[in-house]
Amino acid sequence: MDCIFCKIVSGEIPSKVIYEDEHVLAFNDIDPQAPIHIVVIPKKHFANILELNDSNILNAIFDSIKNIADKQNMEKGFRIVCNTGSEGGQTVEHLHFHILSGRNLHWPPG
Ligand code: 5GP
Ligand code: ZN
């Protein structure tokens, strides 16, 4: 499958890994939108949150987000974003969660 994030999981495309376990990989976004911008993905390919059908993986993703937030100096706050579908702003069709932190994040988002 021609999927950028599957290629990051396999190591075919290099990334700066922040966290890894059996189910999850987290790495720095190539085009950061905040001083801290980490992408958290399941190692298994799901196109989006609607396709995710394994609660163990969902738990692993959110456990990893908490772990990352604890360890990466986000005590002032952070935002988790899951862009879904074209109008939701999703550009990579492999489920992912953005963690944004390190600046004042505005609301509503664009
Ligand atoms: P989306 O727009 O689908 O919510 O988020 C996709 C994210 O993946 C974007 O923030 C984009 O910068 C990031 N991205 C796209 N290609 C690569 C890549 O090859 N390496 C890394 N580290 N991030 C990528
Ligand atoms: Zn994929």
Side-chain angles (χ1 to χ4, degrees), residues 31-45:
D31 181 22
Q33 302 301 312
I36 299 173
H37 186 171
I38 297 166
V39 180
V40 182
I41 67 171
K43 288 184 171 174
K44 188 172 172 189
H45 182 95

Side-chain angles (χ1 to χ4, degrees), residues 1 3 5-6 45 93-94:
M1 190 189 307
C3 169
F5 286 176
C6 283
H45 182 95
E93 303 284 316
H94 179 130

Side-chain angles (χ1 to χ4, degrees), residues 61-62 65-66 78-82 97-100 105:
I61 289 169
F62 276 88
I65 289 172
K66 288 199 290 182
F78 62 93
R79 183 174 294 167
I80 304 163
V81 175
C82 180
F97 294 80
H98 300 262
I99 305 175
L100 297 152
L105 298 165

